[in-house]
Amino acid sequence: MLRAYVRENDRLIATDIDTEAGDAPLPRAVWYNLTNPSKSEDDFVEKCLGIDIPTRAEMDDIEPSARLYNEDGAEFMTITALYNSDSDEPQKTPITFVLRNNQLVTVRYSDPKPFRLFERLVTRPTNNVYTSGEKVMLGLIEAIIDRLAQLLETTGDEIDQISREVFRNKTKNVTRKARDLQEIIERIGKKGDILTLARESLVSIGRLSSFHQTVESGDARLTKELRQELKVLQRDAAALSDHAAFLNAKINFLLDATLGLINLEQNQIIKIFSVAAVVFLPPTLVASIYGMN
């Protein structure tokens, strides 16, 4: 799907483009939003901006040189985004930002929640902030960072709850307690996956920010304002990445503690069997002697 956002009276208007019907290029388009694009949609955007849209395979490359580069006077920047974070199977997906002549192209093959929220925000009648491609890109990155911040906050609260369950479990039933600890290990694994994906996304955002800051712009005043905003986003991403690392360390501690409790429970069971074996040893010895005679 291809949707263009055209600037009209200092605001953006969303327009769906049907490339099969031969729609004409939009000279005032600020943002071309490609979602699961077809070949004709890629060709349409390439013709409008004079660039080559990267393929899905190229977007999946993890080398920095394949994710952050300049070509034909345009910046190509790819980050890793997290989606389906509210489900039991969170996943990651690459998102490419292409910036040329203050026009933005985004290429993605999934629908992360920050994009849906930002699309509604950017088309509000009272919104006159996102009037350039670079501003739209920074707004999208900010929306992604905000979503990751909420995710880390929720995950941190859930980790605290798991910690209370691990160290304050007063269940007397051995079978039920073992089952509870097994369930806790599964929950710890899920939280660890989310933290790993979130940190990977934050690291990719930090690299994008560093790369984009090295590019010069013609408008010095605008450059100073946007660079300041970009530095704020970079600091936020770095701070959240450190927080994700802290939560990950806490997750590892809880995992070790849970496994230690399971070992203690197993040792208790072995201890009971050992005591029982000692108690029944004399009768067994007597029975063995009389049995041999």
Side-chain angles (χ1 to χ4, degrees):
M1 183 182 73
L2 172 59
R3 176 172 294 175
Y5 293 82
V6 182
R7 180 176 179 178
E8 292 184 6
N9 299 325
D10 290 334
R11 55 169 296 206
L12 296 183
I13 305 296
T15 304
D16 289 327
I17 298 177
D18 186 1
T19 56
E20 300 295 338
D23 288 351
L26 302 173
R28 291 181 297 176
V30 173
W31 174 23
Y32 292 96
N33 187 15
L34 287 166
T35 306
N36 289 315
S38 63
K39 182 64 169 60
S40 62
E41 290 171 342
D42 279 346
D43 294 341
F44 180 86
V45 176
E46 290 175 354
K47 182 179 180 181
C48 290
L49 276 71
I51 58 174
D52 291 330
I53 300 296
T55 63
R56 176 65 184 270
E58 293 172 341
M59 292 170 59
D60 285 330
D61 287 342
I62 61 174
E63 298 93 341
S65 59
R67 289 199 151 206
L68 305 168
Y69 60 94
N70 290 310
E71 185 178 272
D72 297 329
E75 296 177 64
F76 291 79
M77 298 163 285
T78 302
I79 66 170
T80 300
L82 182 63
Y83 73 103
N84 284 342
S85 57
D86 296 330
S87 66
D88 292 334
E89 296 183 0
Q91 296 176 325
K92 64 179 181 179
T93 182
I95 298 177
T96 296
F97 299 89
V98 184
L99 196 61
R100 184 181 188 187
N101 297 331
N102 227 354
Q103 289 181 297
L104 176 68
V105 179
T106 55
V107 187
R108 54 195 172 96
Y109 292 87
S110 61
D111 192 20
K113 189 174 182 179
F115 265 79
R116 298 195 301 270
L117 297 176
F118 185 77
E119 287 174 3
R120 289 197 293 265
L121 171 65
V122 80
T123 54
R124 289 178 181 174
T126 57
N127 193 337
N128 58 356
V129 177
Y130 303 104
T131 56
S132 68
E134 189 172 12
K135 290 287 289 184
V136 172
M137 184 184 73
L138 296 183
L140 282 168
I141 294 175
E142 182 179 6
I144 294 173
I145 291 177
D146 289 344
R147 176 61 179 167
L148 290 172
Q150 295 174 2
L151 179 64
L152 290 178
E153 182 179 356
T154 303
T155 303
D157 293 339
E158 293 173 350
I159 291 174
D160 291 339
Q161 178 62 31
I162 293 175
S163 178
R164 288 190 290 270
E165 293 179 15
V166 169
F167 296 109
R168 300 178 187 177
N169 193 335
K170 299 180 180 180
T171 303
K172 299 299 182 181
N173 188 297
V174 176
T175 303
R176 181 178 178 183
K177 190 171 185 178
R179 187 167 57 249
D180 291 344
L181 291 175
Q182 181 179 355
E183 180 186 355
I184 286 174
I185 289 179
E186 293 176 358
R187 290 164 58 190
I188 288 175
K190 291 179 181 179
K191 300 308 171 188
D193 290 341
I194 291 177
L195 290 175
T196 300
L197 295 176
R199 194 176 183 193
E200 183 178 353
S201 179
L202 290 166
V203 169
S204 67
I205 291 174
R207 290 174 178 171
L208 180 148
S209 302
S210 299
F211 174 80
H212 186 57
Q213 287 186 63
T214 62
V215 179
E216 296 294 334
S217 178
D219 191 337
R221 181 190 63 79
L222 188 61
T223 298
K224 183 177 181 181
E225 177 185 348
L226 293 178
R227 293 299 180 270
Q228 184 62 33
E229 184 177 349
L230 194 61
K231 288 180 180 179
V232 172
L233 295 178
Q234 187 176 16
R235 287 195 295 266
D236 289 344
L240 290 176
S241 181
D242 292 340
H243 186 60
F246 162 74
L247 292 178
N248 196 49
K250 192 172 183 179
I251 278 288
N252 290 330
F253 168 73
L254 287 176
L255 180 60
D256 292 339
T258 305
L259 293 175
L261 290 175
I262 292 176
N263 288 332
L264 288 176
E265 292 294 330
Q266 292 176 342
N267 291 338
Q268 286 294 107
I269 296 173
I270 297 299
K271 182 180 179 180
I272 293 173
F273 278 105
S274 299
V275 172
V278 172
V279 170
F280 289 105
L281 182 60
T284 303
L285 177 62
V286 173
S288 299
I289 293 174
Y290 280 96
M292 288 186 293
N293 294 328

Coordinates of all heavy atoms in Angstrom, one line a residue, residues 4 20 27 32 38 48 52 63 67-68 84 97 106 142 153 159-160 175 190-191 201 218 234 238 248 260 269-270 291:
A4 N 0.5 8.8 0.4 CA 1.3 10.0 0.4 C 0.7 11.1 1.3 O -0.6 11.2 1.4 CB 1.5 10.6 -1.0
E20 N -1.7 1.5 -10.1 CA -2.2 0.7 -11.2 C -3.1 1.6 -12.1 O -3.3 1.4 -13.3 CB -3.0 -0.5 -10.7 CG -2.2 -1.5 -9.9 CD -1.1 -2.1 -10.7 OE1 -1.2 -2.2 -11.9 OE2 -0.1 -2.6 -10.1
P27 N 3.9 16.7 -6.5 CA 5.1 17.5 -6.2 C 5.2 18.0 -4.8 O 6.3 18.3 -4.3 CB 5.0 18.6 -7.3 CG 3.5 18.7 -7.6 CD 3.0 17.3 -7.4
Y32 N 6.1 9.8 1.7 CA 5.6 8.6 1.0 C 5.7 7.4 2.0 O 6.8 7.0 2.4 CB 6.3 8.3 -0.2 CG 6.2 9.4 -1.3 CD1 7.1 10.4 -1.5 CD2 5.1 9.3 -2.2 CE1 7.0 11.3 -2.5 CE2 5.0 10.3 -3.2 CZ 5.9 11.3 -3.3 OH 5.7 12.2 -4.3
S38 N 4.1 -3.0 -3.5 CA 4.2 -3.8 -4.7 C 5.3 -3.3 -5.6 O 5.9 -2.2 -5.3 CB 2.9 -3.8 -5.4 OG 2.5 -2.5 -5.9
C48 N 9.4 9.4 -8.7 CA 9.1 10.7 -8.1 C 10.4 11.3 -7.4 O 10.6 12.5 -7.5 CB 8.0 10.6 -7.0 SG 6.4 10.2 -7.7
D52 N 16.5 4.5 -5.6 CA 16.2 3.1 -5.6 C 15.7 2.6 -4.3 O 16.5 2.7 -3.3 CB 17.5 2.3 -6.0 CG 17.9 2.5 -7.5 OD1 17.0 2.8 -8.3 OD2 19.1 2.4 -7.8
E63 N 24.6 -5.4 8.6 CA 25.8 -4.6 8.6 C 25.5 -3.1 8.6 O 24.6 -2.7 7.9 CB 26.6 -4.9 7.3 CG 27.1 -6.4 7.2 CD 26.1 -7.2 6.4 OE1 24.9 -6.8 6.3 OE2 26.5 -8.3 6.0
R67 N 22.9 -0.6 6.3 CA 21.7 0.0 6.9 C 21.8 1.6 6.9 O 20.7 2.2 7.0 CB 21.6 -0.5 8.3 CG 21.1 -1.9 8.4 CD 20.6 -2.3 9.8 NE 19.6 -3.3 9.7 CZ 18.6 -3.5 10.5 NH1 18.5 -2.7 11.6 NH2 17.8 -4.5 10.4
L68 N 23.0 2.1 6.9 CA 23.2 3.6 7.0 C 24.1 4.0 5.9 O 25.3 3.7 6.0 CB 23.7 4.0 8.3 CG 22.9 3.5 9.6 CD1 23.7 3.7 10.8 CD2 21.6 4.2 9.6
N84 N 3.8 -6.2 17.7 CA 3.1 -7.3 18.4 C 3.6 -7.4 19.8 O 3.7 -8.5 20.4 CB 3.3 -8.6 17.7 CG 2.4 -8.7 16.5 OD1 1.4 -7.9 16.3 ND2 2.6 -9.6 15.6
F97 N 14.1 4.5 6.4 CA 13.8 5.9 6.2 C 14.7 6.4 5.1 O 15.9 6.2 5.1 CB 14.0 6.7 7.4 CG 13.2 6.3 8.6 CD1 13.6 5.4 9.5 CD2 11.9 6.9 8.8 CE1 12.8 5.0 10.6 CE2 11.2 6.6 9.9 CZ 11.6 5.6 10.8
T106 N 9.2 6.1 3.8 CA 9.3 5.0 4.8 C 8.9 3.7 4.1 O 7.8 3.6 3.5 CB 8.4 5.3 6.0 OG1 7.1 5.5 5.7 CG2 8.9 6.5 6.8
E142 N 10.4 9.5 17.5 CA 10.0 9.9 18.8 C 8.8 9.0 19.3 O 8.7 8.5 20.4 CB 9.6 11.4 18.9 CG 9.1 11.8 20.3 CD 8.7 13.3 20.3 OE1 8.7 13.9 19.2 OE2 8.5 13.8 21.4
E153 N 8.6 0.3 30.9 CA 8.0 0.6 32.2 C 7.0 -0.6 32.6 O 7.1 -1.0 33.7 CB 7.2 1.9 32.1 CG 6.5 2.3 33.4 CD 5.8 3.6 33.2 OE1 5.8 4.2 32.2 OE2 5.1 4.0 34.2
I159 N 8.3 -7.5 36.0 CA 9.5 -8.2 36.6 C 9.5 -8.0 38.1 O 9.8 -9.0 38.9 CB 10.8 -7.6 36.0 CG1 10.9 -8.0 34.6 CG2 12.0 -8.0 36.8 CD1 12.1 -7.3 33.8
D160 N 9.0 -6.9 38.7 CA 8.9 -6.7 40.1 C 7.9 -7.7 40.7 O 8.1 -8.3 41.8 CB 8.5 -5.3 40.4 CG 9.6 -4.3 40.1 OD1 10.8 -4.7 40.1 OD2 9.3 -3.1 39.9
T175 N 4.1 -30.1 45.0 CA 3.8 -30.2 43.6 C 3.4 -28.9 43.0 O 3.8 -28.5 41.9 CB 2.7 -31.3 43.4 OG1 3.2 -32.5 43.9 CG2 2.4 -31.5 41.9
K190 N 9.9 -15.0 28.5 CA 9.2 -14.1 27.7 C 9.6 -12.7 27.9 O 9.8 -11.9 26.9 CB 7.7 -14.2 27.9 CG 7.1 -15.5 27.5 CD 5.6 -15.6 27.8 CE 5.0 -16.9 27.3 NZ 3.5 -17.0 27.6
K191 N 9.8 -12.3 29.2 CA 10.3 -10.9 29.4 C 11.7 -10.7 28.9 O 12.0 -9.6 28.4 CB 10.2 -10.6 31.0 CG 8.8 -10.8 31.6 CD 7.8 -9.9 30.8 CE 6.4 -10.2 31.3 NZ 5.4 -9.6 30.4
S201 N 16.2 -2.6 19.2 CA 15.6 -1.4 18.5 C 16.2 -0.1 18.9 O 16.5 0.8 18.1 CB 14.1 -1.5 18.8 OG 13.5 -0.4 18.2
G218 N 21.1 22.8 4.3 CA 21.3 24.1 3.8 C 20.9 25.2 4.7 O 21.5 26.3 4.8
Q234 N 18.4 11.0 20.8 CA 19.5 10.1 20.9 C 19.8 9.8 22.4 O 20.1 8.7 22.8 CB 20.8 10.7 20.3 CG 22.0 9.8 20.2 CD 23.1 10.4 19.5 OE1 23.2 11.6 19.2 NE2 24.1 9.5 19.1
A238 N 19.6 6.2 24.4 CA 20.7 5.7 25.2 C 20.3 5.4 26.6 O 20.6 4.4 27.2 CB 21.8 6.7 25.1
N248 N 17.4 -6.5 32.1 CA 17.9 -7.7 31.6 C 18.8 -8.4 32.7 O 18.7 -9.6 32.9 CB 18.7 -7.6 30.3 CG 18.9 -8.9 29.6 OD1 18.0 -9.6 29.4 ND2 20.1 -9.1 29.2
G260 N 17.7 -22.0 41.4 CA 18.3 -22.4 42.7 C 17.2 -22.9 43.7 O 17.4 -23.9 44.4
I269 N 13.5 -33.3 48.5 CA 12.9 -34.6 48.2 C 13.9 -35.8 48.3 O 13.6 -36.8 48.9 CB 12.3 -34.6 46.8 CG1 11.2 -33.5 46.7 CG2 11.8 -35.9 46.3 CD1 10.7 -33.3 45.3
I270 N 15.1 -35.5 47.9 CA 16.2 -36.5 48.0 C 16.5 -36.8 49.4 O 16.8 -37.9 49.9 CB 17.5 -36.1 47.2 CG1 17.2 -36.0 45.7 CG2 18.6 -37.1 47.4 CD1 16.7 -37.3 45.1
G291 N 16.7 -64.4 54.9 CA 16.4 -64.9 53.5 C 17.5 -65.8 52.9 O 17.2 -66.7 52.2

